[in-house]
Amino acid sequence: MWLKPEEVLLKNALKLWVQERSNQYFVLQRRRGYGEEGAGGLAGLLVGTLDAVLDSTSKVAPFRILHQTPDSQVYWSIACGSSREEITEHWNWLEHNVMNTLSVFDSNEDITSFVQGKIRGLIAEEGKGSFVKEDDPEKFREGLMKFEKCFGLPEQEKLVTYYSCSYWKGRVPCQGWLYLSTNFLSFYSFLLGAEIKLIISWDEISKLEKTSNVILTESIHVCSRGEDHYFSMFLHISETFLLMEQLANYAVKRLFDKETFENDLVLHDPLQITKRGLESRAHSEQFSAFFRLPKEETLKEVHECFLWVPFSHYNTHGKMCISENYICFASQDGSLCSVIIPLREVTGVDKADPANRGVSISTKGKTAFRFTEVRDFEQLVAKLRMKCNATSSPQHIINTEVAAGSASGSTKDVDVGLSKMGQRDNSKTVSTEALMTVYHPQDAENLDSKMLKEKMKEQSWNILFVERGHGVSMFRTKKTRDLVVRGIPEALRGELWLLFSGAVNDMASNPGYYTELVEKSLGTCTLATDEIERDLRRSLPEHPAFQSDTGISALRRVLTAYAYRNPQIGYCQAMNILTSVLLLYAKEEEAFWLLVAVCERMLPDYFNRRIIGALVDQAVFEELIRVHLPQLTDHMTDMTFFSSVSLSWFLTLFISVLPIESAVNVVDCFFYDGIKAILQLGLAVLEYNMEKLLTCKDDAEAVTVLNRFFDSVTNKDSPLPPAVQQGSNLSDTKSDHPKVDITDLIRESNERYGDIRYEDVESMRCRNRLYVIQALESTTKQNVLRVVSQDVKFSPSDLEELYELFKKEHFLSCYWNVNSPVLQHHDASLPYLEQYRIDCQQFRVLCHLLSPWSHCANRDSLALWTFRLMDESSNCLINFKQFACVLDTMYNGSLTDKLKLLFKLHIPPAFTEVESLSPSKGGDLSKEELIHFSQLGVSYVGDSLESDSLKSSPEKVKGKVDIQAYLKQWQDELLKKEENIKDLPRMNQSQFIQFSKTLYNLFHGDPEEELLYRAIAVVTSLLLKMEEVGRRLQNPTSPVKSPVAVTEVPAEIPRQGQEESSSEQTEGSRAQSLKGSHEWSFAFEQILASLLNEPALVRFFEKPHDIKVKIESAKNLQLKVRTRM
């Protein structure tokens, strides 16, 4: 590798380097101790230790080239190499391309200048576009070379960054380098002759956390496959941990969560991932989640500044965050003040108070936001003006209002604008009123005490709107949260839900979108629509709005439209309960966008088949219980109780367990504070019932305690009619449990657990996501092993190791071949056995590593035929059960089973004529040839994945559950009887020739090789004689030339070097004799009977093989084999 020229003092360097070649201008040196017997003694060990600790590839690489100028002690390092071949190639290039040119220069300075310029040019050409995105391209280039030299991973493995750190092996720290790449966490250390090399794939990590103890002040703990690894002494441990967390979660998404990953265009190409890109992405995700902005928003700039708060008459310090479409501000002085300004609302951007570097931003709501102490405020003003094309002309303000619609005002204005632009003639189908206003209109004349309280609440909010603004650009402060905790008034609930959730931004950005979705989705028939129809009347059935066609139709339209918009989620139970509550307080289109905000931003991965998001938040909840309620943790023997009892709390935001009039107050807090509100309330509920829970003897008793508590929760200020309130309908027999007001419960949860920070919750989510995914994967593995163990004789431990190797091979192909047309990523919607499958190329690798017949000369052909035999559905993929069963036959099958397998490999559909395009390779097949031959006979390979998913998963046919298909599939598996050898087809001449060749190849290298060759020759002669006699009996008048004379084997088999030539002559002569007759064929019974007569053959096929040795070897070689490929 060419290096940026650096000065080297040769006098000191001679202690560490040995000169191998030199000429007038260049010197080639070898690192002392490298390539010497005994590693060069003590000097070699010390040099190796230095190489591992120091951060310079020119010192680490075992070879280097220096440029020298005559009569000078200063040399310049210009190249280094990890092997003699690499450095020799560089040396030869210099001799052929540079040496002759240097003689024309007059001065040494000119020569040095020319060489340096040439080397820099080579580096620029070599790394064109490769390292442009890195902070320090030259340093990163050196680190990359060391990474490739130490671990030998494929070129496609993208190094993201590397750090100097210590790895704790027992109680001893080993100083070295930690390398973070797209698929692996790698560590390398070399100290005084002790080399430590560690490679952990991200998908194997179940725990990743920052820890500290007496010995390690701060370290990173990594748990992989039950083994703990600790890394410490980082210069910037927080930065390192964040990148590790991102890469681990990226791998989890890519390998386990197909839908989420495919929708993520940023991470879809692993080669585009850089340290800077990951850091930028983390900041953008935190920004959009905190301010509830669309996920597409990317954080562009951050400015520390002060914002003038007019109603408090002071400047609050914080950060201004700018993205493509929004200007946001969050205070950092404890005032909890935040502002969101959409650029669509901005009417002017001006300089204000240049002495204080001020920026003034005017909006349509007649509000001006004044930021001061803004660094580079003049440039910022120019940028913002360009972004929103804002000027101070009144005409522009009018045009902007007409174009954008008044999203900052009341939701009525939004609705009018949208109805003009998008709804057209569909106003009859899409409801434009919240169901609560239709079924429970407020009587302004007859106000009871509850209605008076409700009006007072409304007045408090109106005062807030006057002070802090009304709409999306309002100031959000501690007072806003206090009012939310008290409960949002019924009349303002829909509008404020839309505002606090950020759904108002989605709605304003997509006018007419919902109406178009309704038009497209109505009348569609899928699995999701069937489930929706089944659950429609189960959604708040006690509420009058959902006892009529009005509410049911609106619910159907919203759920069907969302299933059409997001088919990956489609429909999940609990969505109907949540949407029905949204429809009570929001107009239909608003309810749709609220559902989008909940499913896609606020509760990610909640509403899919595996509800991963809910499981992650339950794990976070358990972690918070351990911290805040330790006495409850000590009492409970199994923490899974909290997971099982709290699942409905998270999925339905407490709507399914609380009376409706109380649950809506919880939803108020959720839209303002996010999942933090649900976690806080869950802790408050457990603490309130602490004493009773500590006396419970089992889970059932604890569940009863919590259910009675939820039944006792009321909302004394709810203005809803008694007929609708669920809490008021309870009988007085439960009066032994004191009533609990929801407002008091929420207030208490905020006071006690309000110090739980949003950043901490997100960090716990990331950490627990790895654990949850690995737990789900463990469940999948146990189910697969339980099914497969019934059909094989492998021990449970061996079968588990085989599964891990099988799954690893699947992932190794995913690492560097994301867009393979045949290869499927993990799909959790498929049955357990079908979730991981491999293609022919992957099967060949495993076959070479694990098969007892892998020494065979035509092992590629054998692997191909075996794969074709197992690929019964002709989709070019096989599952673990098929893989394990064929290996079980090879290792644990009887003599008959093994011979039957070999026989079936040499007849259709498994057998196909194989001819390599490269005769020099012998029996080896290239990847392209292997794929070509594996697809022969497949009707249409392009649809293989789709057709297979239809076969293996009958519910996907037309989106409906086909019960008959399931029953038939189950019956076929149950009735799959032992295959009768009489049912096997006969083997023709060409197949028999290949069968004989395979046997000869199998016997090569066996201790009884001579006996086996003689035995197989006798068997083939006997079979041909039997066939000849049979034909003569059938047709005595037809003279047949006997092939026996040609195929008879000499009594003495030539030894050693003559063995192979004799077998080739025998096969060649037999082939000639068989070509003369076109009707020769053999039944399996004939071949079996003939082989059983030869003791040597019987001993060979009954010889036991130990798969444990093969498994251990495969674990060490699997990655290396993939790297070579």
Side-chain angles (χ1 to χ4, degrees), residues 1 123 208 260 341 375 397 424 434 532 678 689 728 733 821 947 955 1063:
M1 183 177 81
I123 292 173
L208 181 63
T260 305
I341 310 171
R375 189 177 177 182
I397 296 174
R424 298 187 296 276
I532 289 168
I678 305 299
N689 294 277
S728 63
T733 57
S947 63
E955 78 274 8
S1063 64

PDB file of all heavy atoms in Angstrom, residues 1 123 208 260 341 375 397 424 434 532 678 689 728 733 821 947 955 1063:
ATOM      1  N   MET A   1       0.845  -1.183   0.000  1.00  0.00           N
ATOM      2  CA  MET A   1       0.000   0.000   0.000  1.00  0.00           C
ATOM      3  C   MET A   1       0.883   1.238   0.000  1.00  0.00           C
ATOM      4  O   MET A   1       1.835   1.335   0.770  1.00  0.00           O
ATOM      5  CB  MET A   1      -0.887  -0.014   1.258  1.00  0.00           C
ATOM      6  CG  MET A   1      -1.851   1.133   1.322  1.00  0.00           C
ATOM      7  SD  MET A   1      -2.939   1.057   2.770  1.00  0.00           S
ATOM      8  CE  MET A   1      -1.850   1.740   3.995  1.00  0.00           C
ATOM      9  N   ILE A 123      -1.746   7.612  -4.512  1.00  0.00           N
ATOM     10  CA  ILE A 123      -2.692   7.469  -3.396  1.00  0.00           C
ATOM     11  C   ILE A 123      -4.041   8.061  -3.772  1.00  0.00           C
ATOM     12  O   ILE A 123      -5.103   7.472  -3.522  1.00  0.00           O
ATOM     13  CB  ILE A 123      -2.131   8.154  -2.134  1.00  0.00           C
ATOM     14  CG1 ILE A 123      -0.914   7.386  -1.616  1.00  0.00           C
ATOM     15  CG2 ILE A 123      -3.205   8.252  -1.045  1.00  0.00           C
ATOM     16  CD1 ILE A 123      -0.183   8.082  -0.481  1.00  0.00           C
ATOM     17  N   LEU A 208     -25.480  -5.137  25.352  1.00  0.00           N
ATOM     18  CA  LEU A 208     -24.462  -4.125  25.066  1.00  0.00           C
ATOM     19  C   LEU A 208     -24.741  -2.963  26.010  1.00  0.00           C
ATOM     20  O   LEU A 208     -25.764  -2.299  25.903  1.00  0.00           O
ATOM     21  CB  LEU A 208     -24.562  -3.676  23.600  1.00  0.00           C
ATOM     22  CG  LEU A 208     -23.555  -2.634  23.112  1.00  0.00           C
ATOM     23  CD1 LEU A 208     -22.144  -3.166  23.192  1.00  0.00           C
ATOM     24  CD2 LEU A 208     -23.880  -2.209  21.684  1.00  0.00           C
ATOM     25  N   THR A 260     -38.741  -3.288   8.074  1.00  0.00           N
ATOM     26  CA  THR A 260     -38.197  -2.018   8.548  1.00  0.00           C
ATOM     27  C   THR A 260     -36.930  -1.651   7.794  1.00  0.00           C
ATOM     28  O   THR A 260     -36.739  -0.512   7.393  1.00  0.00           O
ATOM     29  CB  THR A 260     -37.881  -2.112  10.060  1.00  0.00           C
ATOM     30  OG1 THR A 260     -39.063  -2.513  10.750  1.00  0.00           O
ATOM     31  CG2 THR A 260     -37.412  -0.784  10.605  1.00  0.00           C
ATOM     32  N   ILE A 341     -41.399  25.660  14.705  1.00  0.00           N
ATOM     33  CA  ILE A 341     -41.848  26.615  13.673  1.00  0.00           C
ATOM     34  C   ILE A 341     -41.704  25.960  12.305  1.00  0.00           C
ATOM     35  O   ILE A 341     -40.593  25.837  11.784  1.00  0.00           O
ATOM     36  CB  ILE A 341     -40.998  27.910  13.709  1.00  0.00           C
ATOM     37  CG1 ILE A 341     -40.901  28.465  15.140  1.00  0.00           C
ATOM     38  CG2 ILE A 341     -41.581  28.949  12.763  1.00  0.00           C
ATOM     39  CD1 ILE A 341     -39.902  29.599  15.274  1.00  0.00           C
ATOM     40  N   ARG A 375     -24.584  32.603  16.691  1.00  0.00           N
ATOM     41  CA  ARG A 375     -23.301  32.664  15.992  1.00  0.00           C
ATOM     42  C   ARG A 375     -23.544  32.684  14.486  1.00  0.00           C
ATOM     43  O   ARG A 375     -24.403  31.962  13.978  1.00  0.00           O
ATOM     44  CB  ARG A 375     -22.468  31.445  16.372  1.00  0.00           C
ATOM     45  CG  ARG A 375     -21.047  31.499  15.893  1.00  0.00           C
ATOM     46  CD  ARG A 375     -20.283  30.288  16.392  1.00  0.00           C
ATOM     47  NE  ARG A 375     -18.924  30.291  15.882  1.00  0.00           N
ATOM     48  CZ  ARG A 375     -18.037  29.331  16.124  1.00  0.00           C
ATOM     49  NH1 ARG A 375     -18.388  28.302  16.880  1.00  0.00           N
ATOM     50  NH2 ARG A 375     -16.815  29.398  15.619  1.00  0.00           N
ATOM     51  N   ILE A 397     -47.470  37.268   2.054  1.00  0.00           N
ATOM     52  CA  ILE A 397     -48.102  36.623   3.216  1.00  0.00           C
ATOM     53  C   ILE A 397     -49.469  36.065   2.830  1.00  0.00           C
ATOM     54  O   ILE A 397     -49.819  34.939   3.164  1.00  0.00           O
ATOM     55  CB  ILE A 397     -48.242  37.634   4.372  1.00  0.00           C
ATOM     56  CG1 ILE A 397     -46.857  38.078   4.850  1.00  0.00           C
ATOM     57  CG2 ILE A 397     -49.037  37.029   5.515  1.00  0.00           C
ATOM     58  CD1 ILE A 397     -46.879  39.185   5.884  1.00  0.00           C
ATOM     59  N   ARG A 424     -63.065  16.798  -2.764  1.00  0.00           N
ATOM     60  CA  ARG A 424     -63.900  16.843  -3.959  1.00  0.00           C
ATOM     61  C   ARG A 424     -65.303  16.296  -3.669  1.00  0.00           C
ATOM     62  O   ARG A 424     -66.008  16.823  -2.814  1.00  0.00           O
ATOM     63  CB  ARG A 424     -63.214  16.056  -5.090  1.00  0.00           C
ATOM     64  CG  ARG A 424     -61.868  16.656  -5.481  1.00  0.00           C
ATOM     65  CD  ARG A 424     -61.304  15.962  -6.695  1.00  0.00           C
ATOM     66  NE  ARG A 424     -61.000  14.582  -6.465  1.00  0.00           N
ATOM     67  CZ  ARG A 424     -59.851  14.170  -5.919  1.00  0.00           C
ATOM     68  NH1 ARG A 424     -58.950  15.025  -5.534  1.00  0.00           N
ATOM     69  NH2 ARG A 424     -59.630  12.886  -5.780  1.00  0.00           N
ATOM     70  N   ALA A 434     -66.131  14.999  14.619  1.00  0.00           N
ATOM     71  CA  ALA A 434     -65.779  14.011  15.633  1.00  0.00           C
ATOM     72  C   ALA A 434     -67.056  13.368  16.158  1.00  0.00           C
ATOM     73  O   ALA A 434     -68.093  14.036  16.293  1.00  0.00           O
ATOM     74  CB  ALA A 434     -65.018  14.686  16.772  1.00  0.00           C
ATOM     75  N   ILE A 532     -60.239  -6.822  10.141  1.00  0.00           N
ATOM     76  CA  ILE A 532     -60.879  -5.559  10.517  1.00  0.00           C
ATOM     77  C   ILE A 532     -62.389  -5.751  10.663  1.00  0.00           C
ATOM     78  O   ILE A 532     -62.994  -5.319  11.656  1.00  0.00           O
ATOM     79  CB  ILE A 532     -60.562  -4.459   9.472  1.00  0.00           C
ATOM     80  CG1 ILE A 532     -59.095  -4.039   9.583  1.00  0.00           C
ATOM     81  CG2 ILE A 532     -61.470  -3.246   9.668  1.00  0.00           C
ATOM     82  CD1 ILE A 532     -58.606  -3.171   8.433  1.00  0.00           C
ATOM     83  N   ILE A 678     -46.660   6.604  29.717  1.00  0.00           N
ATOM     84  CA  ILE A 678     -47.197   5.265  29.994  1.00  0.00           C
ATOM     85  C   ILE A 678     -46.321   4.553  31.016  1.00  0.00           C
ATOM     86  O   ILE A 678     -46.819   3.882  31.929  1.00  0.00           O
ATOM     87  CB  ILE A 678     -47.295   4.448  28.684  1.00  0.00           C
ATOM     88  CG1 ILE A 678     -48.118   5.200  27.631  1.00  0.00           C
ATOM     89  CG2 ILE A 678     -47.887   3.076  28.949  1.00  0.00           C
ATOM     90  CD1 ILE A 678     -49.542   5.481  28.044  1.00  0.00           C
ATOM     91  N   ASN A 689     -50.487  -0.087  44.518  1.00  0.00           N
ATOM     92  CA  ASN A 689     -50.952  -1.407  44.961  1.00  0.00           C
ATOM     93  C   ASN A 689     -49.839  -2.237  45.597  1.00  0.00           C
ATOM     94  O   ASN A 689     -49.960  -3.458  45.703  1.00  0.00           O
ATOM     95  CB  ASN A 689     -51.532  -2.175  43.765  1.00  0.00           C
ATOM     96  CG  ASN A 689     -52.795  -1.536  43.227  1.00  0.00           C
ATOM     97  OD1 ASN A 689     -53.881  -1.754  43.749  1.00  0.00           O
ATOM     98  ND2 ASN A 689     -52.659  -0.725  42.184  1.00  0.00           N
ATOM     99  N   SER A 728     -69.061   4.648  36.053  1.00  0.00           N
ATOM    100  CA  SER A 728     -70.297   4.899  36.788  1.00  0.00           C
ATOM    101  C   SER A 728     -71.255   3.732  36.717  1.00  0.00           C
ATOM    102  O   SER A 728     -72.216   3.662  37.467  1.00  0.00           O
ATOM    103  CB  SER A 728     -70.981   6.153  36.232  1.00  0.00           C
ATOM    104  OG  SER A 728     -71.344   5.937  34.876  1.00  0.00           O
ATOM    105  N   THR A 733     -71.266  -3.117  44.759  1.00  0.00           N
ATOM    106  CA  THR A 733     -70.706  -4.236  45.531  1.00  0.00           C
ATOM    107  C   THR A 733     -69.190  -4.149  45.614  1.00  0.00           C
ATOM    108  O   THR A 733     -68.592  -4.766  46.481  1.00  0.00           O
ATOM    109  CB  THR A 733     -71.101  -5.569  44.879  1.00  0.00           C
ATOM    110  OG1 THR A 733     -70.643  -5.567  43.521  1.00  0.00           O
ATOM    111  CG2 THR A 733     -72.604  -5.748  44.917  1.00  0.00           C
ATOM    112  N   PRO A 821     -31.099 -12.139  -5.694  1.00  0.00           N
ATOM    113  CA  PRO A 821     -32.472 -12.361  -6.167  1.00  0.00           C
ATOM    114  C   PRO A 821     -33.139 -13.572  -5.545  1.00  0.00           C
ATOM    115  O   PRO A 821     -34.356 -13.607  -5.412  1.00  0.00           O
ATOM    116  CB  PRO A 821     -32.289 -12.562  -7.686  1.00  0.00           C
ATOM    117  CG  PRO A 821     -30.870 -13.004  -7.844  1.00  0.00           C
ATOM    118  CD  PRO A 821     -30.103 -12.323  -6.762  1.00  0.00           C
ATOM    119  N   SER A 947     -43.758 -18.129  -5.014  1.00  0.00           N
ATOM    120  CA  SER A 947     -44.486 -19.399  -5.062  1.00  0.00           C
ATOM    121  C   SER A 947     -44.238 -20.206  -3.805  1.00  0.00           C
ATOM    122  O   SER A 947     -45.136 -20.843  -3.279  1.00  0.00           O
ATOM    123  CB  SER A 947     -44.048 -20.209  -6.292  1.00  0.00           C
ATOM    124  OG  SER A 947     -42.672 -20.527  -6.198  1.00  0.00           O
ATOM    125  N   GLU A 955     -51.924 -18.947   4.110  1.00  0.00           N
ATOM    126  CA  GLU A 955     -52.758 -17.787   4.388  1.00  0.00           C
ATOM    127  C   GLU A 955     -52.483 -16.636   3.437  1.00  0.00           C
ATOM    128  O   GLU A 955     -53.251 -15.701   3.353  1.00  0.00           O
ATOM    129  CB  GLU A 955     -52.538 -17.302   5.833  1.00  0.00           C
ATOM    130  CG  GLU A 955     -51.278 -16.499   6.060  1.00  0.00           C
ATOM    131  CD  GLU A 955     -50.083 -17.373   6.346  1.00  0.00           C
ATOM    132  OE1 GLU A 955     -50.203 -18.595   6.212  1.00  0.00           O
ATOM    133  OE2 GLU A 955     -49.029 -16.831   6.686  1.00  0.00           O
ATOM    134  N   SER A1063      -8.458 -47.837 -12.563  1.00  0.00           N
ATOM    135  CA  SER A1063      -9.889 -47.555 -12.372  1.00  0.00           C
ATOM    136  C   SER A1063     -10.426 -46.747 -13.540  1.00  0.00           C
ATOM    137  O   SER A1063     -11.544 -46.968 -14.007  1.00  0.00           O
ATOM    138  CB  SER A1063     -10.101 -46.805 -11.053  1.00  0.00           C
ATOM    139  OG  SER A1063      -9.475 -45.540 -11.101  1.00  0.00           O
TER     140      SER A1063
END
